[in-house]
Amino acid sequence: KCGCLAADASATALMRQTAGAAERHPGSLLARLAKEQGIDGKTAFIAAKQGVKVAKRVVSTYIRYVGTGLVGFANVFYPEVFIIGGGISKEGDVLILPLRRFVRRNAYGAEFNPPIDVVAATLGNDAGVIGAAALVMER
């Protein structure tokens, strides 16, 4: 659905945002990477790490979308920690530190409650496969 978290904060959404930015800025390194290597969840992060302004905006916007979704959950549940998994979590501190700051600044009542942590999942994108294997091994 338009406006749902997955529409703006998923890896697919990041790829769509990256493609749009590359199309609007055809002379950028982002556009060159997109053309030469294709677009995946890492493309904007790679270009942003190399100082490409349009890629930095894509990454910043993506982090704001993800952060807004986390803040929505925080305002209802106020968890101790959000664990970010999937392929994008491999971006490490480039993703995690701004998300942590965003959540801590924007969660309702943050100034009166313990800070909510945001961390990358230690199993990354392999958690589902490892969990499935563990279930099979138990039998």
Side-chain angles (χ1 to χ4, degrees):
K1 296 279 185 177
C2 183
C4 71
L5 187 59
D8 294 326
S10 64
T12 303
L14 175 60
M15 291 166 44
R16 186 180 63 252
Q17 294 158 14
T18 301
E23 188 176 303
R24 288 187 304 278
H25 300 275
S28 69
L29 173 63
L30 180 64
R32 193 175 87 228
L33 285 172
K35 183 177 181 182
E36 292 173 0
Q37 300 174 7
I39 295 175
D40 61 20
K42 299 181 288 189
T43 308
F45 283 94
I46 291 168
K49 288 174 189 172
Q50 295 184 33
V52 178
K53 288 182 184 180
V54 66
K56 286 181 176 183
R57 282 194 303 271
V58 169
V59 169
S60 176
T61 299
Y62 177 73
I63 287 170
R64 186 171 27 93
Y65 288 149
V66 174
T68 299
L70 294 179
V71 167
F73 289 117
N75 290 342
V76 174
F77 301 109
Y78 217 90
E80 292 179 25
V81 63
F82 284 111
I83 302 171
I84 307 298
I88 302 297
S89 68
K90 291 180 184 175
E91 295 303 324
D93 287 348
V94 175
L95 174 70
I96 299 301
L97 295 180
L99 276 176
R100 185 180 295 147
R101 280 191 301 273
F102 189 93
V103 169
R104 289 179 177 182
R105 284 186 188 144
N106 294 290
Y108 182 74
E111 62 273 11
F112 304 110
N113 292 300
I116 298 171
D117 204 3
V118 178
V119 300
T122 56
L123 298 178
N125 214 20
D126 296 329
V129 173
I130 292 170
L135 283 174
V136 170
M137 293 173 67
E138 284 183 8
R139 294 180 182 189

